[in-house]
Amino acid sequence: MKRASGLVVLAVSLAAAPAFAHGEKGHGPPAGVQKRKALEILSPAKAAARVEIDAASGARFIRADGLPDHEPGRFPNAGNPHSIRQQSYTLRVPLAPMRNAAFRPSRVQPFGVALNGVLFDPGTAEFWNNDPRSGWALEAIGGPRNLGLDRSNAHVQPDGTYHYHGIPVGLLERLARRETPALLGYAADGFPIYGPFGYAKAGDPASGLRRLEPGWRMRAGSRPAGAPPGRHDGSYAQDFEFVAGAGDLDECNGREGVTPEYPQGTYHYVLTERFPFIPRCFAGTPDASFNLKGPPGGGPGGRPPPPGGPGFGPPRGPRP
């Protein structure tokens, strides 16, 4: 472990790291950091995720090569013609994230990064009629087109970026997911990401674990004029609507509650087995370091934003 000007550097496989202890209400810098031993990994090349916690500037830096620390699927495959290639990420999230007055849709940038340095990037570059101007992007999970996802709900961008569209099964299997809520990573706004299990009562660890459910439901009836023909069937994000009180989580698949890493409580996101799988909006402000560039319509952050069409659902209103 190196220390320089208040900077603590951990060169580890992040999935191997035990929990950090956090300050008041889970928003302070870690109370202490120890050097962790990296796990052996099964990916094509060793994952080299590294986290730097700079208490002086109040930031957590993630430097990673984007390679998973679990066995990925076979790429290229019938639905995904790309090969995994090493990346070079330098990402920054605040140690003390703040919630905004309103949710902010996630349109272009990846939603966050897993503890192993692989990106969470739920959107796709495949549009109705192959027309980005339509605003109707196909869903990677449950959509009509085979996009070649592996068992960890991941596939590969044209630039070789391996990224998750849902629960990272390979990573989750390496964690104590049945005993405590599993910390999976951090969103671009700095709030932690858990899933799919959480405490039955958000503020009570003694309430036991259960699978948390989103509040998003399939819309009834047929799609409107100017949209893909047919009934709402889950092929597109716009096929879903948020129903307050229908699940355990808010529009951004998050909630306030305690976790092992945040015993005083914090807002946190939850990855779920049903839509939206990975959240599609932010409670805070995503850091600009997640505005990654890639091939047009392909690499992380390279997808064109919806051009004022139907967009994605209603998460623009005030948060609860």
Side-chain angles (χ1 to χ4, degrees):
M1 179 170 67
K2 302 176 183 178
R3 291 182 180 270
S5 303
L7 184 68
V8 179
V9 180
L10 304 176
V12 301
S13 170
L14 294 182
F20 290 146
H22 291 260
E24 182 66 19
K25 295 186 178 180
H27 296 315
V33 180
Q34 298 178 350
K35 189 173 183 180
R36 320 296 197 213
K37 181 180 178 182
L39 289 176
E40 291 298 321
I41 58 174
L42 301 174
S43 54
K46 285 195 173 183
R50 181 176 69 178
V51 63
E52 299 176 359
I53 301 173
D54 187 347
S57 65
R60 176 183 286 110
F61 296 89
I62 300 96
R63 304 181 191 277
D65 63 11
L67 298 177
D69 61 346
H70 56 78
E71 185 68 36
R74 183 181 297 276
F75 297 98
N77 61 40
N80 189 268
H82 313 302
S83 298
I84 299 174
R85 294 207 300 269
Q86 183 171 313
Q87 306 296 311
S88 180
Y89 303 138
T90 300
L91 305 169
R92 177 191 182 278
V93 298
L95 279 176
M98 302 292 292
R99 294 184 66 180
N100 293 327
F103 293 132
R104 172 174 176 166
S106 172
R107 295 185 179 276
V108 177
Q109 74 272 54
F111 179 76
V113 60
L115 293 181
N116 58 8
V118 175
L119 297 176
F120 291 114
D121 195 2
T124 71
E126 287 73 28
F127 288 85
W128 175 47
N129 285 340
N130 295 318
D131 181 9
R133 294 173 298 177
S134 73
W136 290 79
L138 292 171
E139 277 295 295
I141 301 177
R145 189 181 303 179
N146 174 19
L147 300 182
L149 298 179
D150 65 14
R151 68 182 294 268
S152 290
N153 296 300
H155 65 178
V156 187
Q157 297 282 14
D159 69 346
T161 297
Y162 182 83
H163 60 285
Y164 299 123
H165 279 274
I167 294 171
V169 175
L171 171 59
L172 187 63
E173 288 176 343
R174 303 169 70 81
L175 305 175
R177 62 192 186 281
R178 296 289 185 177
E179 292 76 29
T180 62
L183 176 65
L184 298 175
Y186 292 92
D189 61 6
F191 288 111
I193 301 172
Y194 289 82
F197 297 96
Y199 296 129
K201 296 181 180 179
D204 183 8
S207 63
L209 288 184
R210 65 179 174 85
R211 196 181 310 273
L212 299 179
E213 295 294 335
W216 289 89
R217 298 292 182 266
M218 191 92 71
R219 296 180 188 271
S222 299
R223 301 187 187 102
R231 298 179 63 84
H232 296 288
D233 62 2
S235 295
Y236 304 89
Q238 293 88 348
D239 287 333
F240 298 89
E241 62 183 346
F242 180 75
V243 180
D248 303 299
L249 309 170
D250 62 23
E251 291 99 316
C252 292
N253 248 34
R255 68 173 182 172
E256 292 278 351
V258 299
T259 70
E261 292 78 19
Y262 298 85
Q264 301 303 314
T266 184
Y267 183 82
H268 57 282
Y269 300 104
V270 179
L271 304 191
T272 52
E273 294 185 346
R274 295 192 295 109
F275 184 90
F277 311 108
I278 293 173
R280 310 301 174 94
C281 60
F282 294 105
T285 301
D287 191 82
S289 63
F290 283 80
N291 294 333
L292 303 175
K293 302 299 181 182
R303 298 184 308 276
F312 168 64
R316 293 183 178 84
R319 62 174 172 81

